[in-house]
Amino acid sequence: MYQTRVLSEKYFKIFAGVYNDFRTKCAQNYKFEIEPLNYDEFIEYFTKKLINCIILLEDDIPTGFLAYSCATSNVIELFLIHILGNENINDKRDALMENFMLETTQRRKQALVSYPMLGVQTDYRDRAASFGFKFVDLGVMVFDINNKRLIKEIEQLNLYSIPIGYKIVPYSDIYADELAGVILRSFDESTDINFDIRFGSIEGCKDIVEKITKSVYGRFLSHSSKVLLHENKLIGFCLSNVTGDSIGNIPLVGILKEHRGMGLSKLLLKSVVGDVVKLNQSGLVNLTEINASVDLDNSHAVKMYEDAGFVRSYSYPQAYLPKSIDSSIDL
């Protein structure tokens, strides 16, 4: 019904309108916290094959697109599907998804597809399931950095209540290699590995540490990130950064299984939140909130955030297509 094709130079000028429509709606409609590439940057990335793009055409005019990346060997990152207007939106998404499945047929034999269905994309969940996608329901938990009661509770945190043998210290690069190993062990049963296979190998966990601490995912707050030591061995962590210039974020928190059940994760999280609050009060950062994503089926993690003063803001399905799915699926 709808025509789709891979973006080509023929459409570069006219496609700008569709892409810029997405950019104007990226925060409100797609919950983007980091400003996306401007159009010239997008075309540059596309030309260098760092981003792939499939466009939807009506009367040879672009009216939608699907953007993804195959830059990582074992993961296909489906960034988003954007459609102009709301008419027959899911039929149009289907047309783009069908083309995407065909374009990635061979690649999907070795790589899983990860697709965060943020914002308005959540209503495409059932249709995405028909293509074989599975889902982890994630909730975005928010700490109101302007709530005086919450701030007072955080300021009253008593780290002297930590059990003997444990201590919480600021993150330093000297912990990088050790941290990667602890991430691997603490996330070995988490749902994150379904859509981010880096959690399944030490090399992948090292990549996660590097990208967080080198500010790829937002400005890393090294002094407001903490590690938990037991007899001077790293056994837990809580990292923090700033995304979009005004949002504090907890990208990763975890603790080894054998040290759980003592309230240490909550102490670690509260300690980091307290330091981020102090940074905000000092004017070194200017934040509107602190947030974190959590698997809603992980009741212990949800409770940890709630006990630290976080409340759920919104939720979304993190979709993934395992590479074991038959890549010759009948379209």
Side-chain angles (χ1 to χ4, degrees):
M1 179 178 180
Y2 297 101
Q3 187 178 19
T4 60
R5 62 183 56 182
V6 174
L7 177 64
S8 64
E9 188 173 356
K10 171 185 174 180
Y11 295 99
F12 279 3
K13 288 186 178 180
I14 196 168
F15 176 62
V18 182
Y19 184 80
N20 287 326
D21 180 73
F22 151 68
R23 290 192 80 236
T24 63
K25 300 173 180 176
C26 64
Q28 181 175 350
N29 287 15
Y30 296 97
K31 305 296 184 182
F32 274 40
E33 294 182 359
I34 299 176
E35 186 175 352
L37 301 169
N38 65 41
Y39 186 64
D40 289 339
E41 291 171 333
F42 180 86
I43 292 300
E44 179 184 354
Y45 274 56
F46 174 79
T47 303
K48 293 180 178 179
K49 302 186 184 303
L50 297 174
I51 290 178
N52 304 79
C53 183
I54 300 168
I55 57 175
L56 178 79
L57 298 171
E58 297 181 70
D59 297 325
D60 209 36
I61 302 296
T63 58
F65 70 97
L66 181 155
Y68 67 100
S69 174
C70 293
T72 304
S73 62
N74 48 15
V75 178
I76 301 169
E77 296 180 273
L78 200 170
F79 298 128
L80 85 154
I81 304 174
H82 176 68
I83 305 294
L84 285 178
N86 296 309
E87 184 178 356
N88 300 322
I89 187 169
N90 278 340
D91 291 338
K92 295 175 182 180
R93 287 166 169 165
D94 281 349
L96 288 166
M97 184 64 82
E98 287 171 5
N99 192 315
F100 167 78
M101 296 292 281
L102 288 172
E103 287 289 330
T104 59
T105 297
Q106 292 302 315
R107 192 60 174 267
R108 285 186 290 108
K109 293 178 180 179
Q110 289 82 38
L112 65 81
V113 180
S114 176
Y115 175 26
M117 302 179 72
L118 287 159
V120 297
Q121 297 174 105
T122 58
D123 61 13
Y124 187 58
R125 176 175 181 149
D126 290 344
R127 302 284 276 263
S130 69
F131 289 92
F133 280 89
K134 301 179 185 298
F135 309 92
V136 175
D137 290 315
L138 298 181
V140 175
M141 310 291 289
V142 171
F143 181 94
D144 183 358
I145 204 161
N146 296 310
N147 187 310
K148 294 180 179 179
R149 178 186 61 81
L150 291 178
I151 292 175
K152 184 176 181 180
E153 290 178 2
I154 287 292
E155 289 175 342
Q156 292 175 343
L157 177 67
N158 180 13
L159 288 181
Y160 291 106
S161 64
I162 194 168
I164 295 174
Y166 294 90
K167 61 181 177 180
I168 295 173
V169 300
Y171 174 80
S172 167
D173 285 338
I174 64 172
Y175 296 114
D177 288 341
E178 196 175 359
L179 175 58
V182 174
I183 292 173
L184 178 66
R185 291 172 58 194
S186 59
F187 277 76
D188 62 351
E189 296 179 355
S190 77
T191 57
D192 298 69
I193 198 170
N194 290 318
F195 54 87
D196 190 341
I197 61 174
R198 293 179 300 172
F199 285 103
S201 70
I202 189 63
E203 294 79 10
C205 290
K206 286 181 178 179
D207 181 69
I208 291 170
V209 171
E210 180 176 6
K211 283 185 168 58
I212 292 176
T213 60
K214 300 304 180 185
S215 298
V216 174
Y217 298 144
R219 179 157 57 97
F220 181 55
L221 301 176
S222 59
H223 295 295
S224 298
S225 295
K226 302 291 183 69
V227 294
L228 176 65
L229 305 179
H230 178 246
E231 296 179 351
N232 292 321
K233 292 184 179 180
L234 196 153
I235 55 96
F237 54 89
C238 183
L239 308 180
S240 63
N241 59 18
V242 176
T243 61
D245 295 328
S246 63
I247 298 176
N249 175 252
I250 307 295
L252 215 56
V253 56
I255 188 171
L256 294 181
K257 284 177 283 189
E258 55 267 34
H259 298 277
R260 295 172 188 169
M262 295 182 284
L264 294 169
S265 295
K266 184 170 68 175
L267 280 175
L268 189 57
L269 176 61
K270 283 188 171 183
S271 175
V272 168
V273 170
D275 277 10
V276 175
V277 167
K278 290 176 183 177
L279 273 182
N280 191 61
Q281 291 173 333
S282 70
L284 293 175
V285 294
N286 184 21
L287 305 179
T288 57
E289 66 181 45
I290 302 172
N291 68 23
S293 295
V294 60
D295 176 0
L296 294 176
D297 286 335
N298 187 340
S299 58
H300 294 293
V302 172
K303 188 175 187 304
M304 174 189 70
Y305 281 107
E306 290 176 340
D307 288 347
F310 288 71
V311 297
R312 193 197 306 183
S313 175
Y314 62 90
S315 59
Y316 67 95
Q318 167 63 58
Y320 63 96
L321 184 64
K323 64 180 178 180
S324 58
I325 292 292
D326 183 5
S327 293
S328 63
I329 185 170
D330 185 10
L331 299 175

